[in-house]
Structure formats: structure tokens, C-alpha cells
Amino acid sequence: MTGNPPTPIWSEESDERGALVLQDETGEAVALLTQDQVAQVSEFLEQPEVIALSQFLFIARLGLRSRRKLSDLTEEYEETFTARAEEFCDEYGYNWADLASSLWQLVISYTESIFPLDSFTEVLSTADLEKITAYVGTAPQVSGGESPPNAAFRDIVEILGSSTRTKRAREVLADIRTASEGRYAELSLAHTFSHAAEAARFDHEVLYVQRNLRKRNSEEFCDDSFLVSPLTRPRCVVLGNPGVGKSTMTQNLVHQLSRSGSGSAYAPLVVSCKDVTSTDGSAYILSAITRSLRDNLQLEVTEGEAGDLATLGRSFVIFDGIDEIVDVGRRMTFVRTVEAFANRYPLIPVLVTARRVGYNKAPFNTRDFVIYELDDFSVEQVGQYTEKWFAATKRSEQDRQAFLRETENVPDVRTNPLMLSLLCALYRARGYIPRNRRMVYEACADLLFQRWDAMRHIEQPVDHRQYGTRLMQELALFFYKSPTAQAGVQEGQLRKLIATFFTDTASVDEVDARSRAQDFLDFCADRAWLLSYQGTDFGDHRLFGFTHRTFMEYFAAEALVRRARGLDEVVDEMVFAHEKDTSSVLADVIFQCADDKYDGGAREIVSALIRRSGRRYLSLSLRVMNAAPLPPQTTDAVFNALLAAWRYSPVEEDHDTALAVFELSRDPRNRFIAKLHEQPHSALAALARWARYYWRGDALLFDPQWGQQMYDVASEATTLPHNDPPSMAYLLRNSMVEFEQLQNTREWVLGFQAFGETVPGPVLLDLEELITEAGGDDSIGKLTASFGARTRAARPRVSGAFLQKIFARNAEDTATPAPGRIAEVIKNRDLRDALIWACCALYESTAPMLHPFHKRIDFVYGQDWFDRVIATRTNGPGRRVLSGAEPFSLQELRTAQGTGTVPGWFADWCGERTSLLTEVMQQSQPNAWSLTEPR
């Protein structure tokens, strides 16, 4: 009543005479109160009996579920309020008694603005209501009972009965929301930029990727948006591995709750768990909240005011990082304290975040708290994040694709949100992801397993800081050398290994070494870094394993090279790792470690690999060329061995070596291209491998320079590769040969095999562009027209299975031709004949069902026409049918062929005297067919 607008319905303003104008929801003035009248109304509202009315109404609204009874009671209270206002005005000679009804509504609206009771009662469980309404309907004070109402109920009644406390609660709520909106407006990624002494901050909407939460021990998922609607009063614990994004999700939640126009009226309160507990783990939560508000938001809020806000259910309290209380006893005590806090303030939402490993040592009770798991990014979320990141940092889509290509070899690293943000930062700082995988792993391991906790001011044991890296190398080597160890190693065995390291390496006595080994293991088990607790065996012994295989291989490589007595041993280890798992990056990392340790190590290792087996280790030799510079003699030796192998090997078996070549970086790539320009036969061999990636769509994954350089190589070809369909198709697609030059057209104009995958060929790609492009390039449709012309001279016959495979992409494509596009296309006879052939051949392969392609091209002449085509092939020309489309007569078919509106084979096909399909022919290409004379 004295200056705080309670709801949008009521607006208050002073006119030029200093009076107060009260307006209703339509903007009409209800009354004009002088300053004296305002003081009089305020005095009236402070009277105990008036305060008691609003309190009693609160009790009634909370206890009565019948809307009719509550409505009747509210009317009675309003009548009592009005009568008391009239008495008050009569007693003192005031003249505003006729405003009593409006004032009552204003009081109710004001109370609703701070305590919207209906919102709470709709979501509160019966048990929660009982906590608050323990004495509603029984009035134990009146009946002489000994059980008073509980603290939450008493506090709510007292707050709503005090205009001072209610007003202050509204002010504190507004202050916290305003300060939080500014404090949490941006996501800070400073941790990823420490290597460059640079900080980066982004708006949440620019960079945040919505996360999925999975209920523990369930397949039920929900996205994190439900937390932003705290009227559902969530009480939950979110568990996740290091770097999975728990704190980032918390930052975004606070931002969403506090931002203007969010529709929420909650004060987000963040409590950093590691900062609040005493030596025994106990804590007074309200004190921790007020300290956090003072330190982080520069707000002076008393514990009583924070308690009032929580009592009224206007706080959303977030306990971030409960696992960061490293001592399990202290953590357990604090968990019980949080549970007591949540019980004391039953109306507030509560969120707790913790690391997954170690949580079960001090869990929350599942009666009141729902446990969720926060997993790493999915492949789709990696794409979303990188799309947002590269847009925010003003990098091109081409750069983003290059980044995704360059990080494909570390999939388990880039799906971790923290690691992905670091990789993006590395790319931003350097313009590329280092080809040297060792550098990438070193940067990621340093952030995740060394700097991350230190930056968060979490106490780390001395042994972790001093010996952690060396210890991890030894343990990783043990796990790598023992395949059974990778399924988990007993705690006792690892403790013995670590103790031996302390005694043999750091001169620690045996008793102290065993104790420190146990401390190191306990620390790893609780923090889930490199070495993590993975359960127990049948003897109830704790089992440990490496959290990430990538980091195990990285540290194992460091240990292998450090222990090697010479390069021959290094080469042996590389060969062993490669033969054990050709997809593993361990051999690459060993190579990079050795090149760093030995002068000229890269040259000697590659030369040794070539000497051992010119072909067997070609892909490995090519892969490591990106990691270290090599002299021209060594580079040429690798390329000569490769091109000699390609000359005589089946192309389809060269996927690994081809992939390694096309992933080469600039300098070795340029030298390889130079060799192709000098050696025409080698150029055709390389073209055959490149063409397969081109038709699979995988060429886009390589450096864009490859596309231009291979195009230049192909354009110099003096001999056509007639025996290699993908190569010929590449030349045809890029207009280096003309369709008319093909004397014996085979199936490759429609599709072929490319490294084991059946892909559409140049005619189908041209057809796709033809039906979706309106106008545009004049060359579009030329291949389709040439194919259509050929169908009149010779009837193409294909395998039905082959046809469905090459048209699979057309079935999935949702792009529809522009209106009138098909009608425009079929004006050209050659194009029309190609479409009719496709319609009829596809129907044969899918009958009696239609293919999605039929609809995309409007059945050439419309569906009614094609229905008659199907009826003719099913029933025969001129046959009468009881229902459905009428078959064409023989006269209609002859007329159509005579006027050229259908191909010459069309009448025989409709009469089912011929087929456009044939069985797969056993030729070099598995889906072969040939053009033969029509029957």
C-alpha cells in the first residue's frame, strides 16, 4: 500500500498533488487517496484483528480442499473485514470506508504475490501438507493439546502477519534475482584458456546445450528444463563424471531462474559445498547462504531474511559439488544437514550435484530425493556444441567440419563436455587441432587430472601432485601389458604396485609406502580421475581400472618409451600395438614420444617400418607422418612402397592405406601430389581410391585442398580407367568425359560399390539435382537426358536389390520439387523416358507397394496415369476390372508409343512380356547389368 505494486492488476502512482491513485485491471481509477488517507489505511491494516483475518484465511485455504466451502468462508472474511473498516472509520471520522472491499482484494493480491498458495498446494504431496498443516482443524492450543503446529507452519503464519517481514521478503527476492541475473549472465570458459592466458565468456543462449538427465537405475530420461519450472518443487541429486558439465548446468539453471521475463519468482541460491562445512562436517545452511550472497553477489542479507524467503518457498537452493568434501565422514554429516534443511523448509526446491563415483558412500535418502545421472555428450550434442561454438567465435562451417574431422580419433575425449571445450579452445588458439596426438592428450590430461581440482581449490594429496604423472605411467603400463587387468585389478595388488614405486623410486620406507599407497588409492576412488573404483569382486575386494582407455594408452606410451633401451625396442612396441588393434592410437603416441626423446627418432622409426615390411605397415607409416617432420628420402620411400602396393592390389582392399593417405597434412600431401603428376599410372591408382571416398560422401571429411588437387590430377589423365566404375563415374560427373563417349554403358552410371558400400552413381545424383533445382546450372539434367536417350535404343536391366539400394537416399530425402518442376522436366523427351524407366523399374522391385520416389516425381504423368500403368501390368491390356483403375487398351499403348510419349519398350512392359530387372550377374562389380536390345 505504500509504494510496492503487488500485482500487474494494481498500479500505483502519485499525482501532482502528492495523492495516491489506485487503478483496477482496466486502468480505471478506483480511488484517489491523500497522503493522510494512506497513513490511515496503513494504520488500519496493522491492527491485530485485521492481520489475524488474513492469517486465518491462509489457514483455511491450506486446510480446505473444497472450493465451495473456501469461497463461502472467504466471503465471510471479506464481510468481517468490511465491517471492521466501517467501525474504524466511524470511530476516527475517516471517509474511505466504501473502499473496504477493494482494499481487501488488494491485501489478498499482495499476499498472493509473495506466497501463491494455490501453486504450492497443487504440487505438494499429502505428507508435505501434513508437515505444514499439522494443526489445521484441530486447534490444539484451544483444546489444550500439547502438540503445537510445526515450525514451517508457524513461520508462514507469522511472516504473512507482518507487513514488515512480508515487504522485506519481496525486496530480498527482487535483489537476489537482479544480482544473479548479472552475475550468471555468461558462461565462463576461462579454465580452457589458461594455456594462452586468455579468458572467454559467452551468453548462455549462445553456447549452452540442453542436457538430458536419466533416472538412476532406469531408462527414463528428461531434459534439464524441468528444473527451471520449480513449481514442481524438484528435490533431486544429479550425478556425473568429472568434466561432464554439472557446474555448467547449474550456472545455466541459475541464469534461467533469475533472468527478467523468465516467468519465475524464485531466488536461486548457490552453496559451494566444499566452503561451508566445519571440521566435523556440520554447517548452518542459512549462514552459508548469506555468506555466499555476500561474497558472490555483494548482497547483505540476514539469516532471518534468508530463512523467511525459504519459509515462503521462494528459494531454489543448489548445493554444488558435494563430492568436493573429500573426507567421507564430513560429507556424510553434511548430507544429513542438507536433508534436515530440506525438511525444515518443505516448500523449496533443492538440487545437489556430485560425482558419480564415491556418491554411494554418503547418499541422500531416496524417499525425498530423486537421483539422476548426467552422461557425456551424445554425438548429436557434440554437433550442437561445436555448431554454437564456431558460430560464437566467428569461425566458418568449413572450420567446424575440419575440427570434427581432426577430433574423430579421440571420440571418448570429445564427448566429455570439459574436454570438448578445451579442444575447441585449442583449435581457436592454433587454428587447428595438433596432429601430434600426444600434445592433445597431454593438454587434456593436465586439465582434467591436475589443474581442474586445483582451480576449484580442492585439497590434493602431496603424492598426487609430486608423483601422480609418473605413477600413472607405471600403472597404465601394467594395465596395458595385462589384458585381464583391464577388467579391473584388486585393490591389494594395486596397493602393492604403488608401494613398490614409492620404495624403489622415491626412497620411501616400506611401512610409510604402504600407508601412502592406500591414501593414493582412496583419493583416486573418490575423485574418479584416471584410476577409478569400479566395484568389487566375488571376494568383496575393491576393483580399480582406468576411467578412459585413451588416457591409459597415452600414459602407457610414455612409460614404454621411457623404459626402451633403443629405437629397435620402440619399433617393436609400435608394431605390437598396431597388430593388436589397428584402430588404437597407441602406436602413434609411442612414435611421438620417441621422436621427442631421440634426435632423428621419427626418421629411424619410419625407415625401420619400411624395411621390416614394405606393405604390412604402410598405413601405420602414413599415419605417423603427420606427427613429426620427415626428410624427403624417408617420405619418398614410404610413397614409393605405397604406390607399388596400389599398382597390384584390389582397390576395395585398400581402405586403410587410402584413408591414411588422404588424412596427410599439407607438406607430405603436396609431395604425394607431385609424385602423381610425375607418374600417370600412379595417378590412376590414387584416383581409384579417391573416387570411392568421393562417391561415399567421405571426401568432405578431408582437407578441402585434397579435392582440388585430385581434380587436377584427374584432369591430366591421358588413359581412361574403363575397368574402374567409380573412377569413370568421377570423370563423368566432373565433365572430364561425355556420356556419348561411353561405348558400352554399364551399371555404374546408376551406382556401384565403393569400399563395400553400394552408392548412387552420376546419373542418380544428376537426377536428384534435376528434380529439386528450379533453373540454375544448364549442365544439370544432361546425364539424365543422355541416359534416357539410351533407354530407347537399349533396355537397361538391373537387379531389384541393387536398384533399391541406390534409390535408398531418394526414399529418405524429404526435399520436394518446386511446383510445376516435374511438368517442366517431362517436356524434354529424353528426361521423360529416364523418369518412366525409373518409375517402372522401381515398381517391379517394390510391387505391390510404391516407392517414395514415385510420389516425388508425381508418377511422371500423375498418379491416376500410373495407377492405370499398374493395372495394365497386373491384369493385362484392355481387361475389364471390377474396381480400381482401368487398364490401358492395346490401341492406347500403341498410340502412346507412336507419339513418343512413352519409350519403345513400354507396351511390352505393361503387358508383362518383358522385365526391367534381372538377377545379379557374376562380374567384377557385384550389381552388374548391361543394355541389351529390346525383345
Side-chain angles (χ1 to χ4, degrees), residues 326 355 445-455 458-473 475 498 501-502 516-525 527-531 555:
V326 178
R355 289 192 178 185
D446 179 58
L447 173 62
L448 187 57
F449 306 127
Q450 295 290 342
R451 291 194 292 118
W452 189 235
D453 271 358
M455 291 167 58
I458 297 172
E459 182 181 356
Q460 295 176 309
V462 174
D463 286 335
H464 174 75
R465 298 196 305 269
Q466 189 168 356
Y467 304 115
T469 300
R470 184 70 174 269
L471 251 176
M472 285 304 159
Q473 291 178 6
L475 293 174
I498 297 170
F501 170 85
F502 284 139
R516 287 163 63 173
Q518 185 63 56
D519 291 342
F520 187 86
L521 272 179
D522 290 340
F523 187 66
C524 289
R527 300 303 298 159
W529 289 341
L530 280 176
L531 199 63
F555 283 107

Side-chain angles (χ1 to χ4, degrees), residues 621-843:
S621 300
L622 289 162
R623 274 167 44 183
V624 300
M625 288 176 73
N626 284 328
L630 294 172
Q633 298 87 345
T634 308
T635 303
D636 287 343
V638 176
F639 289 155
N640 290 338
L642 171 73
L643 294 173
W646 276 4
R647 193 171 304 165
Y648 303 106
S649 65
V651 180
E652 289 290 315
E653 296 178 5
D654 287 332
H655 182 270
D656 289 344
T657 54
L659 179 63
V661 166
F662 297 126
E663 287 184 338
L664 288 174
S665 55
R666 181 186 61 184
D667 293 332
R669 180 189 71 227
N670 289 340
R671 194 164 187 86
F672 179 75
I673 292 295
K675 278 190 171 293
L676 299 186
H677 285 301
E678 296 168 359
Q679 303 174 16
H681 290 295
S682 297
L684 290 180
L687 176 62
R689 280 84 183 164
W690 172 257
R692 282 158 173 76
Y693 283 117
Y694 174 89
W695 288 109
R696 286 166 58 101
D698 293 340
L700 296 174
L701 301 177
F702 306 129
D703 189 313
Q705 288 298 317
W706 273 110
Q708 182 59 50
Q709 289 179 312
M710 288 306 300
Y711 177 88
D712 295 339
V713 167
S715 63
E716 294 177 359
T718 56
T719 304
L720 294 179
H722 290 291
N723 294 327
D724 189 59
S727 297
M728 287 297 294
Y730 177 85
L731 298 176
L732 185 62
R733 172 72 174 171
N734 288 282
S735 302
M736 297 179 194
V737 298
E738 298 295 331
F739 199 100
E740 289 70 20
Q741 293 178 251
L742 308 178
Q743 299 177 353
N744 297 310
T745 308
R746 293 188 178 272
E747 85 292 345
W748 60 260
V749 298
L750 295 174
F752 37 77
Q753 291 281 308
F755 287 137
E757 179 181 342
T758 302
V759 296
V763 167
L764 256 63
L765 263 65
D766 182 68
L767 175 60
E768 178 68 23
E769 293 174 354
L770 173 70
I771 63 176
T772 56
E773 294 284 340
D777 192 343
D778 293 338
S779 65
I780 294 176
K782 287 182 61 177
L783 294 181
T784 305
S786 298
F787 174 79
R790 287 286 180 94
T791 64
R792 292 196 297 274
R795 171 175 49 82
R797 302 178 65 198
V798 298
S799 159
F802 166 69
L803 195 68
Q804 291 191 46
K805 285 181 180 179
I806 61 175
F807 271 93
R809 190 166 68 180
N810 294 94
E812 298 171 356
D813 201 328
T814 58
T816 56
R821 178 61 176 161
I822 300 303
E824 177 186 347
V825 167
I826 64 175
K827 292 178 182 178
N828 181 304
R829 181 184 179 186
D830 295 337
L831 295 176
R832 182 179 64 231
D833 285 359
L835 293 181
I836 291 176
W837 179 88
C839 267
C840 295
L842 275 173
Y843 177 73

